[in-house]
Amino acid sequence: MKLVICDDEIKDAKRTDEIIRKLDITRDFEIVIRTPQDVKLAVEEDLFRCDILVMDIQYQGEQYDGIELTQLINEKLPACQTIFLTNILDFAPYVYETKHCYFVMKENIEIMLPRAVEKAIDSYKNTENDIIEFVSNGHTVFLSQEEIVYIERNNRVLIINTAKKDYHCYTSLRKLDGKLGNTFGRCHAGFIVNLAYVSGIEGNEVLLKDGRRIPVGMRFFDSFKIKYLKYFSNRM
């Protein structure tokens, strides 16, 4: 597991590093210190890799802060668990604009940071299986499964549809299907649908909540209907 400490104050970063390295649970971790500038550049170039991020919030002389930087990382690495670390309590309300797992005041770092790291590890383990990884247009994409509305095969290309955008990648529908959770159902040789976005089945079509329709193949009709009804009944 990789843990990144992002802080523009090297003295604070080294103190954070010392505390984390003393923990038994981080014994096998790769722990590195990075400046906000290095992290921002790596994120923008799709080169940033991190499982747990300890993020300082305020940077001297920069037009952005740790909250804005974390928002970028949330989009690129949704499984990454962020621990905010700061001297300024006033930042607390603003961190809720991001996905994060803990907020630690530097004055309490000796007591609170070990607890935060433990929670981050647990949260990461609960989240990582929900993330799928694929290459789209030359960039590695990490996508939360709950964002996927449906997946369509178009010849050799898969189109992964989300509410925000479509991603195109070269892989097989069967291979991707093996990575998806129980909320997905195969309704056609060329379609997999997230049941959370389905409003019903009408004839030989799946009706999505946004009004779109997806075909249901004869070979998949019975199994898909059973799976959808089971999913629907469990949600009631």
Side-chain angles (χ1 to χ4, degrees), residues 34-220:
R34 294 286 183 266
T35 66
Q37 296 83 0
D38 288 341
V39 170
K40 187 172 185 293
L41 181 62
V43 170
E44 291 174 344
E45 295 184 353
D46 287 328
L47 298 175
F48 187 66
R49 297 291 176 267
C50 179
D51 302 312
I52 296 175
L53 176 64
V54 181
M55 175 68 82
D56 185 33
I57 295 180
Q58 190 176 39
Y59 312 136
Q60 294 294 329
E62 296 295 341
Q63 299 298 315
Y64 58 92
D65 58 28
I67 294 173
E68 294 173 78
L69 191 50
T70 298
Q71 288 172 332
L72 292 177
I73 294 169
N74 288 163
E75 294 180 8
K76 301 281 187 176
L77 299 174
C80 179
Q81 302 298 312
T82 299
I83 299 168
F84 282 115
L85 191 59
T86 184
N87 282 316
I88 304 173
L89 185 60
D90 291 346
F91 283 125
Y94 300 101
V95 302
Y96 291 97
E97 298 174 6
T98 71
K99 294 179 182 178
H100 68 285
C101 67
Y102 226 96
F103 182 91
V104 176
M105 295 294 295
K106 288 186 178 182
E107 63 186 38
N108 299 322
I109 189 172
E110 298 282 352
I111 297 173
M112 300 306 299
L113 186 58
R115 300 179 188 177
V117 171
E118 185 175 351
K119 180 180 178 182
I121 294 171
D122 290 340
S123 297
Y124 179 83
K125 289 178 179 178
N126 292 331
T127 302
E128 62 175 335
N129 292 330
D130 182 52
I131 305 299
I132 61 169
E133 176 183 350
F134 56 91
V135 176
S136 179
N137 295 324
H139 298 285
T140 301
V141 177
F142 296 87
L143 191 64
S144 174
Q145 293 189 26
E146 66 181 14
E147 297 180 60
I148 301 172
V149 180
Y150 66 87
I151 302 167
E152 176 184 0
R153 184 181 67 201
N154 186 355
N155 295 322
R156 295 176 57 215
V157 179
L158 289 189
I159 304 171
I160 301 175
N161 177 275
T162 74
K164 295 180 179 178
K165 63 181 293 186
D166 291 347
Y167 298 91
H168 295 73
C169 63
Y170 291 91
T171 187
S172 71
L173 200 61
R174 178 177 294 181
K175 183 177 180 179
L176 191 58
D177 192 14
K179 299 178 181 179
L180 298 173
N182 293 328
T183 61
F184 289 84
R186 186 83 174 264
C187 64
H188 188 277
F191 287 89
I192 297 173
V193 182
N194 188 340
L195 301 174
Y197 293 91
V198 174
S199 64
I201 302 172
E202 186 175 287
N204 61 350
E205 291 181 317
V206 176
L207 307 181
L208 300 182
K209 293 178 180 179
D210 62 6
R212 285 179 290 179
R213 295 171 178 260
I214 293 175
V216 179
M218 289 289 293
R219 181 160 61 97
F220 299 91

Side-chain angles (χ1 to χ4, degrees), residues 5-50:
I5 300 165
C6 178
D7 201 319
D8 64 339
E9 295 288 344
I10 189 62
K11 182 179 179 181
D12 288 351
K14 287 183 176 180
R15 182 187 181 200
T16 301
D17 181 80
E18 289 173 1
I19 293 170
I20 292 173
R21 289 184 186 275
K22 290 178 182 178
L23 304 176
D24 289 339
I25 53 177
T26 63
R27 186 174 300 168
D28 298 323
F29 278 30
E30 176 188 357
I31 303 172
V32 297
I33 296 173
R34 294 286 183 266
T35 66
Q37 296 83 0
D38 288 341
V39 170
K40 187 172 185 293
L41 181 62
V43 170
E44 291 174 344
E45 295 184 353
D46 287 328
L47 298 175
F48 187 66
R49 297 291 176 267
C50 179

Side-chain angles (χ1 to χ4, degrees), residues 216-230:
V216 179
M218 289 289 293
R219 181 160 61 97
F220 299 91
F221 185 87
D222 290 338
S223 60
F224 180 79
K225 184 177 180 180
I226 291 171
K227 189 166 190 177
Y228 173 67
L229 291 175
K230 182 178 180 180

